[in-house]
Amino acid sequence: MNYHVLTLFPEMIEQGMNTSIIGRAIEQGLLSLEAVNIRDYSTNKHHKVDDYPYGGGAGMVMQAQPIYDAYCALEKKMEKKPRVIYLTPQGRTFSQKIAQDLAKEQNLVFLCGHYEGIDERVLEEIVTDYVSIGDYVLTGGELPAMVMMDTISRLIPGVLNNEDSAEYESFQNSLLEHPQYSRPEVWKDKRVPEVLLSGHHEKIAQWRHEQSLERTFLRRPDLLEKAPLDKKDKKYIEQIAANQAISDENVTEE
Ligand code: 6GU
């Protein structure tokens, strides 16, 4: 996977991505990252990249020319036109599913905006995907681009230590992950659940699955609608729901 980020703050991208697991994957050559400074492509003698909006209004708008030239320089080096992701609160909300789709690409270009936005004409010319990371407003697209690259990178074979871990985790089968415990066996008078010490792999797997069901029901019930649940799972959830209804009743009575 080769990432290319068009930005006014290349240091922010480089510093954010060269640490920990992603940094190691770059060192190993599993990923590459190129942060292109849009300002380097300004033909203006003061390297200006923004101007006032036509029609008036607050703030500045990033101009088309430097962004387009920076993009063309990238495209020239590629065999086919890459997907170009514009980070914007007006985009589709990013998800694990979108990450899985994007992880298949050889190259990905991220376009990070700042100020009040980017001249619409260059977006029409180069952008293939409009993506948001959630319903809140950030000052620029750099953090969203890094969120996306982090999510996509861990799906690339070899990036995670343990090949299994990408598979079992939250969202993969629409259920949240079970809780985890490590040494010591007792901490602040809290014992590690007995079943995990039993060495009984089948029982452990069943307990973990039930924990996943319970957590998902309590914390993200919306996910259960899409989860592939069998009869036993549904019964288990009904039981949790019934127990909860009883304890809710007790709270109301108090
Ligand atoms: Cl992708 N960009 C900005 N500026 N704000 C956001 C966002 C993106 N996603 C959520 N808020």
Side-chain angles (χ1 to χ4, degrees):
M1 171 61 74
N2 305 301
Y3 298 122
H4 313 266
V5 184
L6 302 174
T7 172
L8 290 173
F9 302 96
E11 337 72 57
M12 187 176 170
I13 299 289
E14 277 155 8
Q15 299 209 347
M17 296 295 290
N18 285 332
T19 53
S20 178
I21 293 176
I22 305 302
R24 195 187 57 206
I26 291 170
E27 275 173 25
Q28 290 175 334
L30 296 166
L31 309 171
S32 77
L33 171 64
E34 170 186 31
V36 176
N37 193 341
I38 293 167
R39 200 175 294 282
D40 292 346
Y41 288 85
S42 173
T43 52
N44 176 281
K45 66 177 173 225
H46 302 109
H47 302 290
K48 202 165 72 86
V49 291
D50 61 339
D51 208 331
Y52 296 100
Y54 277 118
M60 303 290 269
V61 174
M62 286 173 71
Q63 292 166 285
Q65 175 272 318
I67 293 171
Y68 186 67
D69 290 356
Y71 166 75
C72 289
L74 283 181
E75 196 206 272
K76 248 190 355 204
K77 297 187 289 184
M78 297 176 194
E79 282 169 24
K80 62 169 208 171
K81 284 196 179 190
R83 280 173 83 169
V84 178
I85 298 148
Y86 176 43
L87 290 314
T88 168
Q90 300 182 8
R92 262 201 306 166
T93 306
F94 188 53
S95 63
Q96 197 64 36
K97 187 147 183 282
I98 294 175
Q100 279 165 351
D101 177 45
L102 293 172
K104 298 173 197 153
E105 300 290 322
Q106 191 184 350
N107 291 288
L108 285 174
V109 177
F110 294 92
L111 173 57
C112 303
H114 259 264
Y115 315 121
E116 293 310 305
I118 295 183
D119 190 308
E120 190 68 18
R121 294 167 295 182
V122 71
L123 300 177
E124 288 170 8
E125 200 67 30
I126 70 173
V127 173
T128 60
D129 299 78
Y130 293 79
V131 180
S132 165
I133 61 163
D135 288 341
Y136 39 82
V137 182
L138 301 165
T139 55
E142 283 77 12
L143 286 170
M146 288 194 271
V147 165
M148 289 185 66
M149 288 188 283
D150 191 283
T151 310
I152 295 163
S153 298
R154 55 188 295 299
L155 299 175
I156 293 177
V159 170
L160 295 185
N161 277 324
N162 178 355
E163 273 308 299
D164 290 341
S165 39
E167 217 150 294
Y168 276 98
E169 273 165 49
S170 298
F171 295 112
Q172 217 62 23
N173 44 16
S174 302
L175 291 179
L176 302 182
E177 228 194 332
H178 56 77
Q180 298 278 18
Y181 299 86
S182 186
R183 289 208 277 190
E185 248 180 71
V186 183
W187 183 78
K188 283 191 186 284
D189 288 338
K190 290 167 181 276
R191 288 202 65 79
V192 171
E194 212 55 49
V195 64
L196 299 179
L197 311 174
S198 69
H200 195 304
H201 299 299
E202 243 167 78
K203 276 194 180 150
I204 291 170
Q206 191 196 334
W207 181 84
R208 285 179 165 168
H209 182 62
E210 288 171 357
Q211 288 288 311
S212 284
L213 291 170
E214 180 165 348
R215 287 215 147 173
T216 311
F217 173 75
L218 295 173
R219 298 182 185 184
R220 290 294 307 276
D222 56 302
L223 293 178
L224 287 177
E225 281 161 38
K226 286 181 273 170
L229 303 176
D230 64 20
K231 262 193 188 152
K232 209 171 156 203
D233 292 342
K234 285 179 187 156
K235 260 221 158 113
Y236 189 76
I237 289 166
E238 274 165 28
Q239 194 193 316
I240 298 164
N243 288 343
Q244 205 193 24
I246 291 166
S247 62
D248 283 353
E249 213 172 289
N250 292 340
V251 170
T252 325
E253 276 168 17
E254 273 168 17

